Each structure stands twice: as C-alpha cells, then as structure tokens.
Amino acid sequence: MENAEKYAKVDRDILAAMEKPGRLYLAGLAVAAALTVIGGILWAHQIRTGLGVAGYTHPVNWAIYITNFVFWVGIAHSGTLISAVLFLFRARYRTSFNRAAEAMTVFALMVAGMFPLIHLGRSWVFYYLIPYPTQRQLWVNFRSPLIWDVFAVGTYFTVSVVFFYVGMLPDFAIARRCKEGIRKKIYTVLSLGWKGTDREWRHYGMLYLFLAAFATPLVASVHSVVSWDFAMSIVPGWHTTLFAPYFVAGAIFSGTAMVITLVIPLRKAMHLHDYITDDHFESIAKILLFTSLIVSYAYIVEFGMASYGENIFEMEAFRYRALGEFRYLTWAMIFCNSLVPLTLFARRLRRNTAYLLVVSLLVNVGMWLERFVIIVTSLAHDFDPYVWGTYRPTYVEVGISLGSFGLFFMLYLLFVKNLPVLSITEIKEHL
Amino acid sequence: MAERMVFEDRDRFLEALRRRVREGLPGERIRVITPFGVPEVEEILSPGRSNVRFFALVGAACGTAAGFALTILTSLSWPLIVGGKPVVSFPPFIIIAFALTILFGALSTFAGFLLLSRLPSLRGIRSEEEHGNAFVILVEDGERR
C-alpha cells in the first residue's frame, strides 16, 4: 500500500470509532447514566439527612467511601504509568493503550476526588482543606496527611488533564479536517490552530518529554501519600513503613486491570484489531502479572511482620483479618489478586483476550476488597477489646459506590464517541 | 512565497529537504509541515534544541520555592505546636514542595510550549488551508515569520 493511503486508512479507522453510536452503546450509556443519577440522589439524601444514613459506627468511621477513594486513585495510576513511564522507556505497545489509559486516569481522579467530599458529610465546607488567606489568619495544618492528599491528588489531576490534552492536540487537527458541522468547529477550537509546522513539532516533542518526566514521579508519589493517610496513624494493620510501596504496586496492578477491562471491549466494538494486537495485550498482561507478584509479596511481608513482630495488637489485627468476621473478603482478595493472575505465566492465556478480561475483572474486585479489608478490619479491631465493633454498609453507601462506577463508565463511554481513542499521529509515526 | 513542494512519501520528502539544505539554502527560510513529528527534520534544519526546557526548569524551581514558602511562612504566621512537632517541620513540608514542583513545572512547560509555538493561533483556527497527510516544504523569500 502507498504511504498516503496507509495514513488515510489510519485516519479513517480511528475516527470511525466516533461515528454514530449503535444500540449496545446507547444501552450501556443509559445504564451508566441511570447509576450516576441514583448515586447523585442518594448523595443528596445523605447531605439532607446527615451522615447518619451511612453505616458508620464507632469505631469504624472510615469505610466504603474511603475504600472507593483509594480504589479510584489507584485506578488512575496505571494510566500515567502507560502514558508517561512507558513513553520514557520507548515501549512501542504503549501507543495502543495510552489514550484510553490517560482518559481513564482523568475520569478515575474525578470520581476519586468526590469521595473525600462525600465522606466529609458537610461537603460544602470542603474548602477548609485549601490554604487561602482568611480574615481569621488561620492556615491549614501542613503536618496533616489529609492536606498532603489535597496537594498530591490536586497536582495529579491537573498534570493528568494537561497531559491528556497535549497528547490529543495534533489529533484534534486531524478530527477537524475529517469532521463536519458543529463538531468541526469544536475540534477547530480545541486544536488551537495546530498546523504541524516544524516549529510546532519541535517544541511539542520537548513538551511531551517533559510532561512525561514530570508525570513519572507522580506514579510513585501520589499513592504513597494516600497510603500515609493510614500509615501515619498508630492503628494496628495500618502503621507500617511497607504501606507506600505496597499501595503503589497495588495501584498500578488495579489500574492495569482496569485498562484491560476497558480496552478489550473497545477493540472489539470499534474494530481496532489492526492497531491493538494480541502482542500488545500480552505485554500489558505481563505488567499485570508482575505487579500481582509484588502485591502478593507485600501480603506475605505484612503477615510476616505481624507474626514475628512481638506486637500483640498487630498480631491480633492480622489474625482477625484472616480468621475474623471479614475472613471471606480477605480470602477472596487473596484469590483474586495473588492466585488468579498466576495463570498468566502461561503464554496462551496471556494472549487469550476473553480470559484476560475475566482475570482483569476479578483483579478489580480483588483490589477493591483489599482496600476495604485494610480499612475496615483495622478500625473494627484495634487496641482495646472494649471498643471493638463491626461495620455493615447501608443502601446509601452501596448506591453511591455503584453511582461512582456509573459515573466513571459514563464519562468513558462519552470519551469513546467524542475524542480520538488512539493517538493517530503516533500510530502514523510508527507505521 | 517563492516555492512550495508537496510529497506523499516521508523518505522522498526528507531527501528533497536534505538536498535543499545541502544546496546552501539557510534553514531559517525553510518551513516544513508534516502530518506527524519527524525527528530527522530537526537534524536537517538544525534549529537548536527547543527552549521549552528552560520553562520546565524555571517553573519547577518556582514550584519548590513556593511550596516551602507557603508551608513555612503560614506555619510561622501562627506558630502553634501540633502533635509535639516543631513549628517548621521539614519532612511533611517536603511533600507539599514536591507536589508544587511538579505542578508548576508541568504548567509552565505547557505555557512555554504555547508561547514558543505561537499557539493558540487565530490565523490557524480561521484558515481553511489543509495539507492532509502530505509532507510540505515551503521556501520563503525573506526571513521566516
């Protein structure tokens, strides 16, 4: 095939994903939107009635909302890993996933950012967390991990949005050329008048390199800061130096699983088999396997430290985690996160997208359970047996959590139909 | 505009570009439009490395300074001892300074890119001129804009 024809085919194939949606797509969008609305109504109910409608008890006053926060921030991480770290390592297969992964990062952070506000109860005073000059001359306490969160997640979101947008800039110029009507006008403005001159490409190359370099440390730092929300306390099961690397590995693990969950149906629905090949899925399955091994190692270390640490509270926390009230969740977590991914050592299974989809869904479940187990079991069963308690989520909490999944998938579905799902210019570059 | 060459093939385009430069045409007079980034263009025209990197450096340095200034000065403006920690507790302040380093660095790099590439360009937004997937060499009479 002539080069020009090849390039035109890439334009056509990828922009074809933005054509009129089919019935299945609309049905999916409707379900996601309905869940979002239900979640919104329940949140409004919680704001109106008070935090009592959540299942918080003494001593478990961090539960599903914080689980969701940690889960969604974690999901965001592999987006940055794929778009920034793999870019710096010049991993070619990154091109198949980076746009979808960057979109995932931005949407997951939007969803994650809502949960501390939902958990606050009085969501409308969230601005107390932001340092700004007031008449009372009071400033925030920068020694508090919650303030670190504001800075870490705020920075992460801003940088991810810039990175996402910058990556799409040349593609907007292509969409502008190929689309008609109001869409053409929108893409024209979004493309900022990009023409593809040597000057633009030269500065663009440097910009992309630096954004990747700035985003790379965030992969390690943001979830470390999130883990310190827990590790800075003295609660048994939380107070450990292992937490930062443990959380970062878990974040990349869950995020990679989510990328797989999102891209396999995307490839099938949009007929992108030429661009996202089985080889690419095999590479990303290897990341999944590798991070699963790190997470399993962290589980072993965690239990190991508790068992030889001579600290009866820590020992009891882990005995309770494995054998107590929430034992089924703990075992399900170990099954999903440590055992199921081991099957990916088999090459044939790594290349089987249907199997990979099942594994990635189980990993998503497992990683959600991991955060739940860490948060709830530690609080329910700390130092003093007199204050031991338990926790059951209410329908409000469950509904808001499902709503967060609805919101995430709704944003993702809207992204698929409105923005180029693969980096067109990068694919052409590697043709 | 004196001359305009359009190519469909990347290699033939690079060949022509190389030839023009070898013939003694100064790089400043050549403008190139490509459908994707072609690293060889930079080697041939050798315009020097992009100055976007200085924006990154200055932005990141300002971010670090801002992070420490914000945390230290606000703590000193109401010196309250919390949790037995010193008023100016460096370890947690490093986290804030780190986050702002990245934030300011990334935003300033982006701003630098926009400034140096002269984007957003109203002329570019208004113009209907499209080159599609072609590689274009434009040779201008005088200095390029």
Side-chain angles (χ1 to χ4, degrees):
Chain A
M1 212 179 334
E2 274 293 305
N3 263 341
E5 214 172 300
K6 264 196 232 163
Y7 297 146
K9 183 175 179 307
V10 176
D11 288 347
R12 260 199 321 277
D13 286 353
I14 294 170
L15 293 176
M18 294 152 73
E19 292 293 307
K20 241 188 167 162
R23 253 192 231 138
L24 196 64
Y25 171 88
L26 290 175
L29 190 62
V31 172
L35 280 176
T36 312
V37 170
I38 292 171
I41 292 171
L42 288 172
W43 187 13
H45 170 62
Q46 178 181 296
I47 287 176
R48 205 180 126 85
T49 324
L51 208 49
V53 295
Y56 289 152
T57 54
H58 195 81
V60 185
N61 35 36
W62 279 18
I64 278 196
Y65 295 149
I66 301 299
T67 304
N68 285 327
F69 168 68
V70 179
F71 176 77
W72 285 116
V73 176
I75 291 295
H77 276 63
S78 95
T80 318
L81 179 91
I82 289 171
S83 55
V85 180
L86 295 188
F87 174 77
L88 295 180
F89 281 107
R90 301 283 184 269
R92 280 281 173 81
Y93 67 91
R94 150 192 190 279
T95 319
S96 312
F97 300 102
N98 75 324
R99 183 65 49 73
E102 283 162 27
M104 179 187 83
T105 299
V106 171
F107 302 147
L109 284 172
M110 284 179 180
V111 175
M114 286 170 57
F115 275 100
L117 310 191
I118 296 172
H119 168 80
L120 275 179
R122 293 192 298 155
S123 311
W124 55 93
V125 294
F126 77 93
Y127 62 88
Y128 284 10
L129 287 164
I130 301 164
Y132 62 97
T134 69
Q135 214 172 17
R136 294 172 296 164
Q137 302 195 350
L138 285 177
W139 292 89
V140 295
N141 175 14
F142 285 110
R143 288 166 217 89
S144 158
L146 302 184
I147 298 300
W148 308 345
D149 257 355
V150 172
F151 277 82
V153 178
T155 297
Y156 193 26
F157 180 68
T158 315
V159 173
S160 301
V161 169
V162 171
F163 203 29
F164 183 45
Y165 177 70
V166 164
M168 281 189 299
L169 197 54
D171 288 354
F172 281 136
I174 297 170
R176 149 200 192 167
R177 166 159 56 82
C178 301
K179 293 284 166 189
E180 292 299 325
I182 180 82
R183 279 188 151 196
K184 187 185 185 79
K185 290 210 178 81
I186 293 171
Y187 293 129
T188 305
V189 173
L190 284 174
S191 74
L192 304 179
W194 174 274
K195 292 188 76 169
T197 60
D198 51 327
R199 178 169 56 204
E200 283 168 357
W201 281 117
R202 186 160 65 93
H203 296 312
Y204 184 82
M206 191 60 94
L207 167 70
Y208 206 82
L209 180 69
F210 268 99
L211 283 183
F214 278 125
T216 297
L218 289 176
V219 177
S221 75
V222 176
H223 227 59
S224 299
V225 169
V226 170
S227 82
W228 293 332
D229 288 344
F230 305 98
M232 289 289 289
S233 75
I234 56 165
V235 175
W238 287 2
H239 186 59
T240 154
T241 47
L242 175 67
F243 255 39
Y246 171 24
F247 268 48
V248 171
I252 295 171
F253 180 48
S254 65
T256 308
M258 188 60 100
V259 171
I260 296 175
T261 310
L262 293 172
V263 174
I264 289 177
L266 176 80
R267 173 174 91 153
K268 193 164 170 58
M270 307 297 178
H271 312 292
L272 296 169
H273 294 74
D274 290 350
Y275 305 100
I276 311 174
T277 64
D278 286 348
D279 288 340
H280 298 159
F281 276 114
E282 192 186 345
S283 303
I284 205 158
K286 283 179 188 163
I287 297 185
L288 193 70
L289 175 59
F290 178 60
T291 44
S292 159
L293 293 175
I294 301 179
V295 168
S296 308
Y297 176 70
Y299 293 161
I300 296 167
V301 171
E302 212 179 24
F303 273 84
M305 286 203 300
S307 61
Y308 63 70
E310 299 286 325
N311 177 338
I312 52 165
F313 303 109
E314 192 77 10
M315 283 181 186
E316 174 55 23
F318 280 90
R319 191 205 63 79
Y320 177 71
R321 206 176 270 183
L323 304 170
E325 202 180 348
F326 297 100
R327 60 183 176 279
Y328 296 116
L329 300 183
T330 309
W331 294 115
M333 154 194 122
I334 290 174
F335 173 75
C336 294
N337 295 344
S338 303
L339 298 180
V340 174
L342 289 181
T343 56
L344 295 178
F345 271 113
R347 182 160 185 272
R348 211 150 46 107
L349 293 177
R350 280 201 304 266
R351 296 184 69 87
N352 182 337
T353 48
Y355 182 76
L356 212 49
L357 185 64
V358 174
V359 173
S360 72
L361 285 170
L362 284 176
V363 169
N364 282 325
V365 173
M367 284 310 291
W368 194 91
L369 288 176
E370 180 197 298
R371 276 66 185 257
F372 183 86
V373 165
I374 290 174
I375 293 168
V376 174
T377 63
S378 303
L379 284 175
H381 212 74
D382 68 358
F383 298 99
D384 185 356
Y386 185 72
V387 295
W388 284 351
T390 186
Y391 165 79
R392 287 284 174 276
T394 62
Y395 76 94
V396 177
E397 287 169 299
V398 174
I400 291 179
S401 305
L402 290 177
S404 75
F405 282 85
L407 178 62
F408 175 77
F409 285 108
M410 184 177 80
L411 290 170
Y412 195 81
L413 287 170
L414 290 175
F415 150 74
V416 164
K417 281 289 163 197
N418 290 296
L419 299 172
V421 288
L422 291 172
S423 174
I424 305 175
T425 46
E426 262 184 62
I427 287 177
K428 285 184 194 163
E429 204 177 320
H430 297 316
L431 266 187
Chain B
M1 197 156 297
E3 203 183 335
R4 173 199 179 99
M5 288 176 280
V6 180
F7 300 88
E8 289 208 332
D9 189 77
R10 182 173 175 275
D11 296 331
R12 241 171 276 157
F13 150 78
L14 284 174
E15 205 178 293
L17 190 63
R18 262 194 207 105
R19 200 173 52 237
R20 297 314 302 255
V21 172
R22 225 183 297 125
E23 281 165 7
L25 193 69
E28 293 82 48
R29 280 182 52 199
I30 304 176
R31 203 151 67 103
V32 164
I33 294 175
T34 50
F36 49 83
V38 184
E40 288 90 337
V41 171
E42 217 177 310
E43 285 163 29
I44 298 168
L45 297 179
S46 51
R49 285 166 77 191
S50 160
N51 285 334
V52 167
R53 61 207 159 114
F54 296 116
F55 283 84
L57 177 68
V58 172
C62 288
T64 318
F68 281 120
L70 178 68
T71 46
I72 293 172
L73 297 178
T74 57
S75 299
L76 288 175
S77 86
W78 189 268
L80 187 67
I81 291 177
V82 180
K85 306 288 191 298
V87 171
V88 176
S89 335
F90 268 103
F93 293 179
I94 289 172
I95 295 168
I96 309 291
F98 174 82
L100 290 189
T101 304
I102 305 270
L103 180 66
F104 284 32
L107 290 179
S108 143
T109 314
F110 183 48
F113 159 75
L114 291 179
L115 203 70
L116 294 176
S117 324
R118 315 209 184 148
L119 291 173
S121 124
L122 274 184
R123 192 185 321 199
I125 289 176
R126 284 211 210 94
S127 110
E128 291 290 319
E129 186 191 357
E130 290 288 1
H131 300 285
N133 283 315
F135 299 83
V136 184
I137 302 177
L138 301 167
V139 182
E140 281 162 36
D141 295 330
E143 281 287 291
R144 87 180 203 173
R145 278 173 302 177

